[in-house]
């Protein structure tokens, strides 16, 4: 049978119905705590419950385009701001029964990081949207299998901070070493020795570079103005910045 003839006789209804969605773990730092964007579902299934933002992949979209669209719709970020957001594919989740609808739904989870994210905007199928501290989510029941997806996303973020320049996605174009250290402390949930951290960061070739400028004023307790740095272009860190808990 020629392929064209085979396609003309192909009947999709002979096979189990399948849907594909994207769900996003969008992380940022607010008030020196790690926050994730959650939406309150406005429609069934799980109406009224909190969930990760996401939706079905449209026929004319690839997976990354669908994730970028959901990111823009839920965060209210302008396109110029979206260009600074780190977005990567996390994992595919397809356990039978993870979605109560009468079709098998696979979701491709994405991980996103952004600094200085505005208040979220609820999408068309959401009742509300809010930044929730990671600590607060531990006492929340999330829809679908989103608690497992969130846990995977946070652990991926913690691991990537060790060997990649991902931490610079949480700060502005120019930053102090203290601000960079704060990212590691918040995401890892561990206090770091300022001097040791500064030494390790500066020992990684291409991680950060000086701008030649300083902050406008000294620290909270006074003192000299801090030097400003920017990302040095390196995407992989050699040597890696290991979590203290992994080195003991």
């Amino acid at each position: 049978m020629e392929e064209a003839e085979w396609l003309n006789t192909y009947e999709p209804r002979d096979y189990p119905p399948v849907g594909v969605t994207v769900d996003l773990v969008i992380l940022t730092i607010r008030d020196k705590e790690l926050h994730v964007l959650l939406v309150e579902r406005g429609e069934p299934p799980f109406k009224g419950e909190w969930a990760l933002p996401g939706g079905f992949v449209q026929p004319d979209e690839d997976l990354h385009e669908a994730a970028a669209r959901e990111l823009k719709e839920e965060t209210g970020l302008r396109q110029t701001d979206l260009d600074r957001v780190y977005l990567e594919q996390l994992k595919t989740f397809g356990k039978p029964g993870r979605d109560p609808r009468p079709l098998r739904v696979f979701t491709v989870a994405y991980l996103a990081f952004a600094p200085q994210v505005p208040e979220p905007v609820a999408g068309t199928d959401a009742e509300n949207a809010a930044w929730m501290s990671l600590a607060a989510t531990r006492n929340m029941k999330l829809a679908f299998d989103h608690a497992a997806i969130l846990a995977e996303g946070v652990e991926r973020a913690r691991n990537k901070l060790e060997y990649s320049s991902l931490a610079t996605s949480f700060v502005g174009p120019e930053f102090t070493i203290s601000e960079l250290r704060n990212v590691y402390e918040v995401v890892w949930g561990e206090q770091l020795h300022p001097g040791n951290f500064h030494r390790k960061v500066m020992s990684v070739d291409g991680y950060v570079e000086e701008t030649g400028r300083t902050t406008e004023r000294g620290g909270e307790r006074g003192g000299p103005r801090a030097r400003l740095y920017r990302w040095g272009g390196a995407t992989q860190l050699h040597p890696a910045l290991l979590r203290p808990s992994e080195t003991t």
Side-chain angles (χ1 to χ4, degrees):
M1 183 181 296
E2 295 294 333
E3 185 166 333
E5 182 181 353
W6 177 82
L7 287 172
N8 287 332
T9 60
Y10 184 84
E11 181 51 71
R13 288 177 295 183
D14 291 341
Y15 302 91
V18 172
V20 179
T21 64
V22 291
D23 287 308
L24 279 73
V25 179
I26 308 172
L27 301 175
T28 194
I29 294 176
R30 297 165 66 92
D31 302 322
K32 297 184 179 182
E33 284 190 84
L34 188 63
H35 282 65
V36 62
L37 181 61
L38 296 179
V39 297
E40 184 181 4
R41 293 183 57 81
E43 300 176 358
F46 300 107
K47 181 178 180 179
E49 295 190 23
W50 289 92
L52 296 170
F56 279 91
V57 178
Q58 299 304 305
D60 61 343
E61 293 179 317
D62 67 19
L63 294 170
H64 196 85
E65 288 173 341
R69 171 179 53 80
E70 289 289 345
L71 177 64
K72 183 177 182 179
E73 290 177 358
E74 299 292 354
T75 61
L77 286 169
R78 298 170 298 180
Q79 187 60 48
T80 53
D81 296 321
L82 286 170
D83 293 339
R84 296 178 53 224
V85 175
Y86 179 89
L87 181 65
E88 75 164 33
Q89 194 173 121
L90 173 63
K91 185 178 177 179
T92 299
F93 295 79
K95 185 177 180 180
R98 62 170 301 275
D99 191 307
R101 281 171 281 216
L103 77 165
R104 183 79 178 273
V105 179
F106 295 87
T107 190
V108 181
Y110 275 78
L111 188 59
F113 306 94
Q116 302 171 349
V117 183
E119 292 301 319
V121 179
T124 56
D125 59 349
E127 187 71 25
N128 191 15
W131 290 107
M132 298 284 189
S133 70
L134 191 62
T137 64
R138 298 190 184 104
N139 299 319
M140 298 175 64
K141 180 180 180 299
L142 301 184
F144 305 101
D145 52 358
H146 288 187
I149 296 175
L150 174 58
E152 289 268 2
V154 171
E155 187 59 26
R156 170 75 67 87
R158 288 171 173 164
N159 289 336
K160 287 186 73 70
L161 255 61
E162 296 185 329
Y163 60 84
S164 79
S165 58
L166 178 62
T168 58
S169 298
F170 282 96
V171 293
E174 296 185 355
F175 50 87
T176 66
I177 296 299
S178 293
E179 290 171 336
L180 188 65
R181 187 182 75 249
N182 179 65
V183 172
Y184 281 86
E185 291 180 333
V186 169
V187 177
W188 284 349
E190 299 186 44
Q191 293 294 310
L192 304 176
H193 186 279
N196 288 343
F197 179 81
H198 189 283
R199 176 179 53 79
K200 290 179 180 179
V201 167
M202 301 309 295
S203 70
V204 179
D205 187 39
Y207 187 15
V208 300
E209 60 184 22
E210 289 194 45
T211 65
R213 292 183 290 276
T214 62
T215 55
E216 295 183 357
R217 59 185 64 182
E220 295 179 358
R221 299 180 181 180
R225 294 180 294 179
R227 294 179 180 179
L228 288 171
Y229 296 81
R230 56 176 167 252
W231 175 48
T235 56
Q236 300 296 312
L237 306 186
H238 301 287
L241 299 178
L242 299 180
R243 278 181 269 183
S245 58
E246 293 188 355
T247 59
T248 56

